[in-house]
Amino acid sequence: MGALNDVHFNGELLDNNNGFIRLNKEEEDDSVPISDIKNAVKILLQGLGEDSNRQGLIKTPLRVAKALRQGTTGYRQKVKDIVQGALFPEAGLDGGVGHAGGAGGLVVVRDLDLFSYCECCLLPFRVKCHVGYVPSGQRVVGLSKLSRVSDVFAKRLQDPQRLANEVCSALHNGIRPAGVGVVLQCWHIQLPQIEWNCSGHINHPTVVDMQGWSKISVCAGSGVFERENGDVWCDFRALLKLRGVKVDKVHNKSSSSQGWCPSRSLDVLAINGHENTQNPLNCKISSKAEPGVAAMVAAVAAILHSLGEDSSRKELVGTPHRFVQWLMNFKSSDVEMNLNGFGLEGISQIKCRSQRNMDGEYANFKRDELQSELNLPFWSQCEHHLLPFYGAVHIGYFHDEGTKPIGRSILQSIVHFHGWKLQVQERLTRQIVETVSSVYGGDVMVVVEANHICMISRGIEKVGSSTATIATMGRFSTDPAAKELFLQTVSESTSGSSGG
């Protein structure tokens, strides 16, 4: 997208602002028309059956527009503006310029945390970037520029292999080294299935290796890195292993990573009740099958256009439909709560029993009276940014001896019902505890632990962060010992799963 510009080093120290060129200020009001994106997001909300004027959604169109604009700033940046003022002579004492030591050895910058938007589905994916180069021509580049150049290309709609290729090519043309090597480790969020979500198991949501995500490692090389099994690649891999990075299975330029996106599974569509085995990108979506879907797809195409992309580009032809299919998973009207026979009569009896508990009849509880259902997986969609968040729900409650504990499948159904829609974690936690309390009894405590994709893809870009929320009712609200007992149970469970 026009960011590669040849830069020639003339052997002189370019001292502009202490060796750094400040990027031109982005024309925030004109470069990306926010109003067009906002209008498109309102159409998406309407297609989900939501009211964009309700509290909680009023600013969503603006938030989404800002996040998309910030996440695609790479289209409006030039590599030469980053690299040109950060090339320094380093010839050693014999050359009479620079300091002792000279240049010529391998330089590697590891563990650059980036994110990019997947061009297949518009969902963000995480990137761990490792860049190495061998200086030549008596010049080195400021190390921070390797990160900034990588970020330029990450801040575009991307595919992992093309991202690696573009970073490699840009650095090779920008700093004229003996060679450049790039290794990317990329993680893409999986598309949840209802069956898996209700019965599956996940590890503790703060596990750093992002289990349950699609993962691919790709590489690209130029100059001395063009030979895949060359000594310089061996040195590069050895330096990565010092950080515990294993790159044994790495795709190179000749291999494709297009199939890594889980949304490709959506390319087998059901149109008018019949499975389509043809190329889904050539199929028109029937607005009769899903009212409003065609308008939503057109809205996503308009977003791509507003970002400066061409929605007719072959890699993007199916993207609007895939993104809409993702969103439609979270249409709240499509989700039901299955309580497996817990009717109003049963609820009434349980409430009476719960009231006796709260009146103090069972003030002295034993450990075996505490029932816990831990690590109930959930998925949800942040209503502020239209990005997924996911994790685990832990539910604790007290019940009378001789009564049958509430089944895990029922609790999972409650979690699924409240999670599978536009949500915020605080509300989700409260809704779960109130529903479980109404179905089973008043003494309930809920802990929700979640990873939010908006935390890695918006301006803060806090990879690896997680959020925990608590809601209590009945005895858990008044008895610190009861609360501590359940939290200890959760801690013991999650510490065991995260270590596996």
Side-chain angles (χ1 to χ4, degrees):
M1 293 299 254
L4 292 180
N5 289 275
D6 289 347
V7 177
H8 298 280
F9 180 75
N10 59 13
E12 298 178 357
L13 180 61
L14 301 178
D15 189 7
N16 187 338
N17 293 328
N18 295 322
F20 292 88
I21 294 290
R22 184 180 299 275
L23 289 176
N24 292 331
K25 187 177 185 299
E26 182 187 346
E27 298 176 1
E28 294 184 351
D29 296 332
D30 301 324
S31 59
V32 178
I34 282 186
S35 60
D36 292 348
I37 300 179
K38 288 171 57 180
N39 292 335
V41 173
K42 290 179 180 179
I43 293 175
L44 296 178
L45 292 173
Q46 182 179 2
L48 290 174
E50 293 282 357
D51 178 8
S52 60
N53 291 318
R54 79 163 170 84
Q55 188 67 30
L57 290 180
I58 294 176
K59 294 185 178 181
T60 294
L62 178 61
R63 292 190 187 102
V64 173
K66 285 184 174 181
L68 287 172
R69 185 180 64 180
Q70 194 277 335
T72 56
T73 55
Y75 289 127
R76 303 179 293 282
Q77 293 178 327
K78 296 182 179 180
V79 171
K80 75 172 185 178
D81 293 334
I82 297 174
V83 174
Q84 193 173 45
L87 292 169
F88 306 98
E90 191 64 30
L93 291 178
D94 292 339
V97 180
H99 300 281
L106 175 61
V107 179
V108 177
V109 176
R110 303 169 295 194
D111 297 324
L112 299 173
D113 282 317
L114 309 172
F115 86 91
S116 188
Y117 281 98
C118 175
E119 67 180 6
C120 291
C121 63
L122 279 187
L123 290 178
F125 65 93
R126 178 193 170 186
V127 180
K128 181 79 74 173
C129 177
H130 316 280
V131 181
Y133 81 104
V134 177
S136 68
Q138 301 181 351
R139 61 185 176 269
V140 296
V141 67
L143 296 178
S144 66
K145 304 310 175 187
L146 300 179
S147 175
R148 292 187 63 184
V149 169
S150 301
D151 195 54
V152 165
F153 293 97
K155 293 293 176 61
R156 303 177 182 192
L157 305 188
Q158 278 292 5
D159 162 81
Q161 188 60 63
R162 188 173 70 249
L163 175 56
N165 295 344
E166 290 181 343
V167 171
C168 180
S169 179
L171 289 173
H172 192 87
N173 285 278
I175 62 182
R176 301 296 186 183
V180 176
V182 177
V183 173
L184 304 181
Q185 298 170 283
C186 303
W187 292 265
H188 193 303
I189 193 168
Q190 291 277 15
L191 304 184
Q193 300 295 326
I194 292 179
E195 293 79 10
W196 177 89
N197 197 51
C198 287
S199 60
H201 172 76
I202 63 171
N203 285 326
H204 192 261
T206 58
V207 173
V208 177
D209 62 3
M210 306 178 78
Q211 296 182 26
W213 290 50
S214 295
K215 180 181 179 181
I216 191 172
S217 296
V218 297
C219 71
S222 65
V224 296
F225 283 91
E226 288 184 351
R227 193 161 64 91
E228 185 176 349
N229 296 320
D231 292 340
V232 67
W233 267 120
C234 292
D235 293 342
F236 194 165
R237 293 188 179 96
L239 293 177
L240 293 183
K241 286 182 179 179
L242 292 178
R243 298 285 293 178
V245 179
K246 297 180 181 180
V247 289
D248 296 330
K249 298 180 180 180
V250 179
H251 298 264
N252 56 27
K253 284 185 178 181
S254 61
S255 61
S256 172
S257 58
Q258 288 186 351
W260 87 299
C261 175
S263 71
R264 287 291 184 178
S265 63
L266 299 177
D267 288 351
V268 179
L269 306 177
I271 297 182
N272 294 328
H274 299 284
E275 183 177 298
N276 170 47
T277 57
Q278 302 176 358
N279 183 356
L281 304 186
N282 296 327
C283 298
K284 294 182 179 180
I285 299 172
S286 172
S287 59
K288 295 181 180 179
E290 279 287 356
V293 168
M296 295 173 72
V297 171
V300 178
I303 291 175
L304 295 177
H305 177 75
S306 296
L307 295 175
E309 267 289 2
D310 179 7
S311 59
S312 64
R313 176 162 68 87
K314 64 177 182 179
E315 294 86 358
L316 296 178
V317 171
T319 299
H321 179 265
R322 296 186 195 104
F323 184 68
V324 170
Q325 287 290 91
W326 164 267
L327 285 181
M328 294 300 285
N329 281 323
F330 300 93
K331 190 173 182 179
S332 59
S333 60
D334 294 338
V335 182
E336 296 180 356
M337 185 166 17
N338 180 13
L339 299 182
N340 292 343
F342 269 78
L344 294 177
E345 180 179 355
I347 293 175
S348 177
Q349 294 174 355
I350 291 171
K351 281 185 175 181
C352 292
R353 195 164 56 239
S354 172
Q355 185 61 49
R356 293 199 305 271
N357 291 350
M358 288 186 288
D359 289 342
E361 182 176 338
Y362 303 105
N364 298 319
F365 60 88
K366 298 179 181 179
R367 186 180 182 90
D368 60 4
E369 291 177 325
L370 173 64
Q371 294 295 316
S372 302
E373 287 294 347
L374 309 178
N375 295 305
L376 295 163
F378 82 92
W379 286 79
S380 195
Q381 189 86 340
C382 172
E383 70 176 31
H384 292 161
H385 307 100
L386 294 188
L387 290 172
F389 65 99
Y390 66 98
V393 177
H394 315 291
I395 302 176
Y397 58 94
F398 289 99
H399 77 105
D400 296 342
E401 183 179 355
T403 62
K404 184 178 180 180
I406 190 169
R408 181 180 176 90
S409 62
I410 295 176
L411 295 177
Q412 183 67 79
S413 179
I414 292 172
V415 169
H416 179 67
F417 174 79
H418 291 299
W420 208 256
K421 60 188 69 175
L422 299 188
Q423 268 288 12
V424 295
Q425 185 174 337
E426 298 87 343
R427 183 195 309 142
L428 171 65
T429 309
R430 193 67 196 174
Q431 287 176 337
I432 293 173
V433 78
E434 289 176 348
T435 302
V436 175
S437 178
S438 68
V439 171
Y440 192 80
D443 303 324
V444 181
M445 180 170 175
V446 172
V447 175
V448 176
E449 299 183 276
N451 288 358
H452 291 250
I453 302 303
C454 60
M455 290 289 285
I456 71 169
S457 62
R458 294 196 305 125
I460 50 177
E461 299 179 30
K462 297 300 181 184
V463 176
S465 65
S466 64
T467 303
T469 49
I470 293 177
T472 60
M473 294 192 72
R475 190 186 309 178
F476 289 102
S477 300
T478 58
D479 191 337
K483 183 184 297 184
E484 182 180 358
L485 178 60
F486 177 61
L487 290 176
Q488 180 63 31
T489 303
V490 174
S491 176
E492 292 172 356
S493 171
T494 55
S495 62
S497 63
S498 61

